[in-house]
Every structure is written in C-alpha cells, then in structure tokens.
Amino acid sequence: MATFETSERANSKRSWVAAIDTSSDRAGVALFDGSEVAVLAWMAHRNHTVDTLAQLDHVLRLSGLALHQLDGVAVATGPGSFSALRVGASIAKGIVFSLGAPLVGIPTTRAIAASVTCVDRPVIAVMPAGRGRVVWSKCADGALEPPRNTTVEELRAVAHAEQAVVASESALSGIGDVVVIPAGARVEQIARLGWERILQGERDDPAMLEPIYAHGRRSMDAVPG
C-alpha cells in the first residue's frame, strides 16, 4: 500500500524537483521545493514498470502540480536491482528530455546515510543483494566510499571494527544495531539531495548516467563516492 506525506498543498510558483527511487522492491517517488516535501512509497515487488509513472502522476496531482511544472528530476542510481533501476532511470530520462530540465543521479546509499542523523560515528548504508549477500557503502565525515558486495557476516565484522551505525531498508540477521530506513525516508533524501545539486546549477548528462547494479553489470569499484 502506498503512503503519502505532505505538509501543505504545493505552490506551483516554487522550484519543484521530483525524485524517483526504484532501487529495490520498496520503491518511492517524492517532490521537494526546498521547504515542503511530498512522498509516496509502496511495495512494488517486480511491478516498477507498471507502478512508477502512475505513482509519480499521483503525487503530482495530490500536490496540485503538473509534470511540466517540474524544474528538475533526481533519480536513485543504486546500488540496487538491475531491472528496477533501469525502470527508474528510463522514466527520469524521458521526463527531462521532454521538459528540457536538469537530471541528477543520487547514489541510493548516500540517501540512506543522509537519513541517519545525530550520530558521531560512521554510517554503513546497506542494500540487499540477494542470496545472503548485501551491497553497502561507508559514509564518514560526508565522504561516501565506493560500494562493496559482501556477505552479511563480512559486513558485521566491518561494522564492529569501525564502530559504525548500520542503516538498511530492513533488519539484518546477525546484526543487532541496525537503523531501518523506510523507502519513504530514502526517496525524500534523494529529493532533498537532488534539489540542492540542481539549485547549485549541477546536472548529469542523461546519456551518460548509468545505475550502479548490485551484481556487477557496472563495476562498483569504479564508482566514486
């Protein structure tokens, strides 16, 4: 079931950025204007192709906005599911091509780490990789390390050695100190981080922007933090 959060009806005169996150089965879309935020999150399972654009249209209508009023789009770049990430990237690229608006890619692990506040320890942001494995990045002093694909046991050893806070979309077996970050919080951070980049005049080349896949279709070691 989708969840919707907004503090007030959107003012179309503001600069609104849409965010799309299809990194995993837990998907989300969001709108942010630097002050007000609207979020829709749902369990997509394997229906990202069917659901995502419809959910984006839904959050726009609930916020009193039309697609052409967007000033930019931020999209989650993973690590995550190959098929799901491609859906999000394709939708985001299609929108910015039609609007002539900027596109920015936000690593999913950066958004997860940004959801953890008021801690003075490193944060390890985790995404599921299937078959007992996880893909994760450590964030310390604002710097995000390239993602690593390991077993949960290897992650636990690193978290213990680094005295890190582990942030994940779900509880992890064998790791007790985990902050669970729901999809709504994750996509909200993608919207906020994307809005900041677009406000600063940054944009990514849609033709060159590619997701980071959990199983190596794009080399994770080559991805900067």
Short mmCIF file of all heavy atoms in Angstrom, two decimals, residues 164-213:
data_model
loop_
_atom_site.label_atom_id
_atom_site.label_comp_id
_atom_site.label_asym_id
_atom_site.label_seq_id
_atom_site.Cartn_x
_atom_site.Cartn_y
_atom_site.Cartn_z
N ALA A 164 30.54 1.33 13.57
CA ALA A 164 29.65 2.08 12.68
C ALA A 164 28.19 1.79 12.96
O ALA A 164 27.83 0.72 13.47
CB ALA A 164 29.97 1.72 11.22
N VAL A 165 27.36 2.74 12.62
CA VAL A 165 25.92 2.54 12.63
C VAL A 165 25.53 1.94 11.27
O VAL A 165 25.93 2.45 10.23
CB VAL A 165 25.18 3.88 12.82
CG1 VAL A 165 23.67 3.69 12.68
CG2 VAL A 165 25.52 4.49 14.17
N VAL A 166 24.80 0.86 11.29
CA VAL A 166 24.36 0.20 10.06
C VAL A 166 22.93 0.66 9.76
O VAL A 166 22.04 0.57 10.60
CB VAL A 166 24.42 -1.33 10.18
CG1 VAL A 166 23.87 -2.00 8.93
CG2 VAL A 166 25.85 -1.77 10.45
N ALA A 167 22.73 1.16 8.54
CA ALA A 167 21.41 1.63 8.10
C ALA A 167 20.98 0.80 6.91
O ALA A 167 21.72 0.67 5.93
CB ALA A 167 21.46 3.11 7.73
N SER A 168 19.77 0.24 6.98
CA SER A 168 19.30 -0.68 5.95
C SER A 168 17.80 -0.51 5.78
O SER A 168 17.10 0.01 6.66
CB SER A 168 19.63 -2.12 6.36
OG SER A 168 19.02 -3.06 5.50
N GLU A 169 17.29 -0.97 4.63
CA GLU A 169 15.84 -0.90 4.41
C GLU A 169 15.08 -1.97 5.19
O GLU A 169 13.86 -1.93 5.26
CB GLU A 169 15.51 -1.01 2.92
CG GLU A 169 15.82 -2.35 2.30
CD GLU A 169 15.31 -2.45 0.87
OE1 GLU A 169 15.18 -1.42 0.19
OE2 GLU A 169 15.04 -3.58 0.45
N SER A 170 15.79 -2.92 5.78
CA SER A 170 15.15 -3.95 6.60
C SER A 170 16.16 -4.46 7.62
O SER A 170 17.36 -4.22 7.51
CB SER A 170 14.65 -5.11 5.73
OG SER A 170 15.73 -5.70 5.02
N ALA A 171 15.66 -5.16 8.63
CA ALA A 171 16.54 -5.73 9.64
C ALA A 171 17.46 -6.77 9.01
O ALA A 171 17.11 -7.44 8.04
CB ALA A 171 15.71 -6.36 10.75
N LEU A 172 18.66 -6.90 9.56
CA LEU A 172 19.66 -7.83 9.04
C LEU A 172 19.96 -8.89 10.08
O LEU A 172 20.26 -8.57 11.24
CB LEU A 172 20.94 -7.09 8.67
CG LEU A 172 20.82 -6.07 7.53
CD1 LEU A 172 22.08 -5.23 7.43
CD2 LEU A 172 20.58 -6.78 6.21
N SER A 173 19.88 -10.14 9.67
CA SER A 173 20.13 -11.24 10.59
C SER A 173 21.57 -11.19 11.09
O SER A 173 22.52 -11.06 10.30
CB SER A 173 19.88 -12.57 9.87
OG SER A 173 20.20 -13.66 10.71
N GLY A 174 21.73 -11.27 12.40
CA GLY A 174 23.06 -11.31 12.98
C GLY A 174 23.64 -9.95 13.27
O GLY A 174 24.74 -9.85 13.82
N ILE A 175 22.95 -8.87 12.89
CA ILE A 175 23.42 -7.52 13.19
C ILE A 175 22.33 -6.84 14.00
O ILE A 175 21.27 -6.50 13.49
CB ILE A 175 23.73 -6.72 11.91
CG1 ILE A 175 24.81 -7.42 11.09
CG2 ILE A 175 24.17 -5.29 12.25
CD1 ILE A 175 25.18 -6.71 9.81
N GLY A 176 22.60 -6.63 15.27
CA GLY A 176 21.57 -6.11 16.14
C GLY A 176 21.39 -4.60 16.04
O GLY A 176 20.28 -4.09 16.15
N ASP A 177 22.50 -3.85 15.86
CA ASP A 177 22.45 -2.39 15.88
C ASP A 177 22.20 -1.87 14.47
O ASP A 177 23.10 -1.38 13.79
CB ASP A 177 23.77 -1.85 16.44
CG ASP A 177 23.72 -0.34 16.65
OD1 ASP A 177 22.60 0.22 16.63
OD2 ASP A 177 24.78 0.27 16.83
N VAL A 178 20.94 -1.97 14.01
CA VAL A 178 20.58 -1.56 12.66
C VAL A 178 19.48 -0.51 12.73
O VAL A 178 18.47 -0.70 13.42
CB VAL A 178 20.09 -2.75 11.80
CG1 VAL A 178 19.63 -2.28 10.42
CG2 VAL A 178 21.20 -3.79 11.65
N VAL A 179 19.67 0.59 12.03
CA VAL A 179 18.63 1.60 11.86
C VAL A 179 17.89 1.27 10.57
O VAL A 179 18.49 1.26 9.49
CB VAL A 179 19.23 3.02 11.78
CG1 VAL A 179 18.11 4.05 11.56
CG2 VAL A 179 20.02 3.34 13.04
N VAL A 180 16.60 0.97 10.66
CA VAL A 180 15.81 0.63 9.48
C VAL A 180 15.32 1.92 8.83
O VAL A 180 14.65 2.73 9.46
CB VAL A 180 14.63 -0.28 9.84
CG1 VAL A 180 13.76 -0.54 8.62
CG2 VAL A 180 15.14 -1.61 10.41
N ILE A 181 15.67 2.08 7.56
CA ILE A 181 15.31 3.28 6.80
C ILE A 181 14.21 2.91 5.82
O ILE A 181 14.45 2.19 4.85
CB ILE A 181 16.53 3.85 6.04
CG1 ILE A 181 17.70 4.11 7.00
CG2 ILE A 181 16.13 5.12 5.30
CD1 ILE A 181 17.40 5.11 8.09
N PRO A 182 12.99 3.38 6.02
CA PRO A 182 11.90 3.04 5.09
C PRO A 182 12.09 3.71 3.74
O PRO A 182 12.83 4.69 3.61
CB PRO A 182 10.65 3.56 5.81
CG PRO A 182 11.16 4.64 6.72
CD PRO A 182 12.54 4.22 7.14
N ALA A 183 11.40 3.17 2.74
CA ALA A 183 11.54 3.69 1.38
C ALA A 183 11.14 5.15 1.30
O ALA A 183 11.71 5.93 0.53
CB ALA A 183 10.69 2.86 0.41
N GLY A 184 10.15 5.56 2.09
CA GLY A 184 9.74 6.96 2.07
C GLY A 184 10.83 7.90 2.51
O GLY A 184 11.05 8.96 1.91
N ALA A 185 11.57 7.53 3.56
CA ALA A 185 12.68 8.36 4.02
C ALA A 185 13.80 8.39 3.00
O ALA A 185 14.45 9.42 2.79
CB ALA A 185 13.19 7.83 5.37
N ARG A 186 14.03 7.26 2.35
CA ARG A 186 15.11 7.17 1.35
C ARG A 186 14.83 8.08 0.16
O ARG A 186 15.69 8.87 -0.25
CB ARG A 186 15.23 5.71 0.91
CG ARG A 186 16.49 5.38 0.16
CD ARG A 186 16.57 3.88 -0.05
NE ARG A 186 15.61 3.41 -1.05
CZ ARG A 186 15.23 2.14 -1.18
NH1 ARG A 186 15.72 1.21 -0.36
NH2 ARG A 186 14.38 1.77 -2.12
N VAL A 187 13.63 8.01 -0.39
CA VAL A 187 13.33 8.83 -1.57
C VAL A 187 13.22 10.30 -1.19
O VAL A 187 13.53 11.18 -2.01
CB VAL A 187 12.07 8.33 -2.29
CG1 VAL A 187 10.80 8.69 -1.53
CG2 VAL A 187 12.01 8.87 -3.71
N GLU A 188 12.81 10.60 0.04
CA GLU A 188 12.81 12.00 0.47
C GLU A 188 14.22 12.58 0.44
O GLU A 188 14.44 13.72 0.00
CB GLU A 188 12.22 12.14 1.87
CG GLU A 188 12.26 13.57 2.38
CD GLU A 188 11.68 13.75 3.77
OE1 GLU A 188 10.87 12.89 4.19
OE2 GLU A 188 12.01 14.75 4.42
N GLN A 189 15.20 11.80 0.90
CA GLN A 189 16.58 12.28 0.87
C GLN A 189 17.09 12.42 -0.56
O GLN A 189 17.87 13.34 -0.85
CB GLN A 189 17.48 11.35 1.68
CG GLN A 189 17.25 11.41 3.17
CD GLN A 189 17.45 12.79 3.75
OE1 GLN A 189 18.33 13.54 3.30
NE2 GLN A 189 16.64 13.14 4.73
N ILE A 190 16.66 11.56 -1.45
CA ILE A 190 17.05 11.72 -2.86
C ILE A 190 16.51 13.03 -3.40
O ILE A 190 17.20 13.75 -4.13
CB ILE A 190 16.55 10.52 -3.68
CG1 ILE A 190 17.32 9.26 -3.29
CG2 ILE A 190 16.69 10.77 -5.19
CD1 ILE A 190 16.71 7.98 -3.79
N ALA A 191 15.27 13.36 -3.03
CA ALA A 191 14.69 14.64 -3.46
C ALA A 191 15.46 15.82 -2.88
O ALA A 191 15.75 16.79 -3.59
CB ALA A 191 13.22 14.70 -3.05
N ARG A 192 15.78 15.75 -1.60
CA ARG A 192 16.49 16.86 -0.96
C ARG A 192 17.91 17.03 -1.52
O ARG A 192 18.34 18.15 -1.81
CB ARG A 192 16.55 16.63 0.56
CG ARG A 192 15.19 16.76 1.25
CD ARG A 192 15.28 16.46 2.73
NE ARG A 192 14.00 16.59 3.41
CZ ARG A 192 13.51 17.72 3.91
NH1 ARG A 192 14.23 18.83 3.82
NH2 ARG A 192 12.33 17.74 4.49
N LEU A 193 18.62 15.92 -1.65
CA LEU A 193 19.98 15.99 -2.19
C LEU A 193 19.97 16.44 -3.65
O LEU A 193 20.82 17.22 -4.08
CB LEU A 193 20.65 14.62 -2.06
CG LEU A 193 20.93 14.15 -0.63
CD1 LEU A 193 21.29 12.66 -0.62
CD2 LEU A 193 22.05 14.97 0.00
N GLY A 194 19.01 15.95 -4.41
CA GLY A 194 18.89 16.36 -5.80
C GLY A 194 18.54 17.82 -5.94
O GLY A 194 19.09 18.53 -6.81
N TRP A 195 17.64 18.31 -5.11
CA TRP A 195 17.26 19.72 -5.14
C TRP A 195 18.46 20.61 -4.88
O TRP A 195 18.65 21.63 -5.55
CB TRP A 195 16.17 19.96 -4.10
CG TRP A 195 15.58 21.34 -4.14
CD1 TRP A 195 14.51 21.77 -4.88
CD2 TRP A 195 16.01 22.48 -3.38
NE1 TRP A 195 14.26 23.10 -4.64
CE2 TRP A 195 15.17 23.56 -3.72
CE3 TRP A 195 17.04 22.69 -2.45
CZ2 TRP A 195 15.32 24.83 -3.16
CZ3 TRP A 195 17.19 23.95 -1.90
CH2 TRP A 195 16.34 25.01 -2.25
N GLU A 196 19.29 20.22 -3.91
CA GLU A 196 20.49 21.01 -3.59
C GLU A 196 21.44 21.07 -4.77
O GLU A 196 21.98 22.13 -5.10
CB GLU A 196 21.19 20.42 -2.37
CG GLU A 196 20.42 20.59 -1.07
CD GLU A 196 21.09 19.89 0.09
OE1 GLU A 196 22.16 19.27 -0.13
OE2 GLU A 196 20.54 19.95 1.21
N ARG A 197 21.65 19.95 -5.44
CA ARG A 197 22.54 19.93 -6.59
C ARG A 197 22.00 20.77 -7.74
O ARG A 197 22.75 21.53 -8.38
CB ARG A 197 22.77 18.49 -7.08
CG ARG A 197 23.65 17.64 -6.17
CD ARG A 197 24.03 16.34 -6.87
NE ARG A 197 24.71 16.62 -8.12
CZ ARG A 197 24.90 15.72 -9.09
NH1 ARG A 197 24.41 14.49 -8.93
NH2 ARG A 197 25.54 16.03 -10.19
N ILE A 198 20.71 20.65 -8.01
CA ILE A 198 20.11 21.41 -9.10
C ILE A 198 20.13 22.91 -8.77
O ILE A 198 20.38 23.74 -9.64
CB ILE A 198 18.69 20.90 -9.38
CG1 ILE A 198 18.77 19.50 -10.01
CG2 ILE A 198 17.92 21.86 -10.29
CD1 ILE A 198 17.44 18.80 -10.14
N LEU A 199 19.87 23.27 -7.50
CA LEU A 199 19.91 24.66 -7.08
C LEU A 199 21.30 25.26 -7.32
O LEU A 199 21.42 26.45 -7.66
CB LEU A 199 19.54 24.77 -5.60
CG LEU A 199 19.43 26.19 -5.03
CD1 LEU A 199 18.23 26.92 -5.63
CD2 LEU A 199 19.32 26.15 -3.51
N GLN A 200 22.33 24.43 -7.18
CA GLN A 200 23.70 24.89 -7.40
C GLN A 200 24.10 24.90 -8.88
O GLN A 200 25.25 25.18 -9.22
CB GLN A 200 24.67 24.02 -6.61
CG GLN A 200 24.50 24.14 -5.10
CD GLN A 200 25.26 23.09 -4.32
OE1 GLN A 200 25.98 22.28 -4.89
NE2 GLN A 200 25.09 23.09 -3.01
N GLY A 201 23.15 24.57 -9.74
CA GLY A 201 23.41 24.59 -11.18
C GLY A 201 24.03 23.31 -11.71
O GLY A 201 24.48 23.28 -12.87
N GLU A 202 24.04 22.25 -10.91
CA GLU A 202 24.63 21.00 -11.36
C GLU A 202 23.60 20.18 -12.14
O GLU A 202 22.40 20.29 -11.93
CB GLU A 202 25.12 20.18 -10.16
CG GLU A 202 26.21 20.84 -9.35
CD GLU A 202 26.66 19.97 -8.19
OE1 GLU A 202 26.48 18.74 -8.27
OE2 GLU A 202 27.17 20.53 -7.20
N ARG A 203 24.09 19.36 -13.05
CA ARG A 203 23.26 18.39 -13.76
C ARG A 203 24.14 17.30 -14.30
O ARG A 203 25.32 17.51 -14.57
CB ARG A 203 22.46 19.05 -14.88
CG ARG A 203 23.29 19.65 -16.02
CD ARG A 203 22.40 20.04 -17.19
NE ARG A 203 21.48 21.12 -16.86
CZ ARG A 203 20.39 21.39 -17.54
NH1 ARG A 203 20.05 20.62 -18.58
NH2 ARG A 203 19.61 22.40 -17.21
N ASP A 204 23.57 16.12 -14.46
CA ASP A 204 24.28 15.00 -15.06
C ASP A 204 23.81 14.83 -16.50
O ASP A 204 22.68 15.19 -16.85
CB ASP A 204 24.01 13.71 -14.27
CG ASP A 204 24.62 13.75 -12.88
OD1 ASP A 204 25.75 14.23 -12.76
OD2 ASP A 204 23.95 13.31 -11.92
N ASP A 205 24.68 14.29 -17.31
CA ASP A 205 24.34 14.04 -18.71
C ASP A 205 23.44 12.81 -18.77
O ASP A 205 23.87 11.71 -18.42
CB ASP A 205 25.61 13.79 -19.51
CG ASP A 205 25.36 13.58 -21.00
OD1 ASP A 205 24.18 13.44 -21.39
OD2 ASP A 205 26.34 13.55 -21.76
N PRO A 206 22.18 12.97 -19.19
CA PRO A 206 21.28 11.80 -19.22
C PRO A 206 21.82 10.65 -20.06
O PRO A 206 21.57 9.48 -19.75
CB PRO A 206 19.98 12.37 -19.82
CG PRO A 206 20.02 13.82 -19.51
CD PRO A 206 21.48 14.20 -19.60
N ALA A 207 22.55 10.97 -21.12
CA ALA A 207 23.07 9.92 -21.99
C ALA A 207 24.18 9.12 -21.31
O ALA A 207 24.43 7.96 -21.68
CB ALA A 207 23.59 10.52 -23.30
N MET A 208 24.84 9.72 -20.32
CA MET A 208 25.96 9.06 -19.66
C MET A 208 25.60 8.48 -18.30
O MET A 208 26.32 7.64 -17.77
CB MET A 208 27.11 10.06 -19.48
CG MET A 208 27.64 10.64 -20.78
SD MET A 208 28.36 9.37 -21.85
CE MET A 208 29.78 8.89 -20.87
N LEU A 209 24.49 8.92 -17.73
CA LEU A 209 24.12 8.48 -16.38
C LEU A 209 23.66 7.03 -16.41
O LEU A 209 22.70 6.68 -17.09
CB LEU A 209 23.00 9.37 -15.83
CG LEU A 209 22.62 9.11 -14.37
CD1 LEU A 209 23.77 9.45 -13.43
CD2 LEU A 209 21.37 9.91 -14.00
N GLU A 210 24.34 6.18 -15.66
CA GLU A 210 24.01 4.76 -15.60
C GLU A 210 23.89 4.32 -14.15
O GLU A 210 24.64 4.77 -13.28
CB GLU A 210 25.11 3.93 -16.29
CG GLU A 210 25.14 4.08 -17.80
CD GLU A 210 23.92 3.47 -18.48
OE1 GLU A 210 23.32 2.55 -17.87
OE2 GLU A 210 23.57 3.90 -19.58
N PRO A 211 22.95 3.43 -13.86
CA PRO A 211 22.82 2.94 -12.48
C PRO A 211 24.01 2.08 -12.06
O PRO A 211 24.78 1.59 -12.89
CB PRO A 211 21.53 2.09 -12.53
CG PRO A 211 20.81 2.53 -13.76
CD PRO A 211 21.89 2.92 -14.73
N ILE A 212 24.12 1.90 -10.74
CA ILE A 212 25.12 1.01 -10.15
C ILE A 212 24.38 -0.26 -9.74
O ILE A 212 23.51 -0.21 -8.87
CB ILE A 212 25.76 1.65 -8.91
CG1 ILE A 212 26.27 3.06 -9.22
CG2 ILE A 212 26.90 0.78 -8.38
CD1 ILE A 212 26.47 3.91 -7.97
N TYR A 213 24.72 -1.37 -10.35
CA TYR A 213 23.98 -2.60 -10.09
C TYR A 213 24.64 -3.41 -8.98
O TYR A 213 25.87 -3.41 -8.84
CB TYR A 213 23.88 -3.43 -11.37
CG TYR A 213 23.25 -2.67 -12.50
CD1 TYR A 213 23.95 -2.43 -13.69
CD2 TYR A 213 21.96 -2.16 -12.38
CE1 TYR A 213 23.37 -1.71 -14.72
CE2 TYR A 213 21.38 -1.44 -13.42
CZ TYR A 213 22.09 -1.22 -14.58
OH TYR A 213 21.52 -0.50 -15.60
#
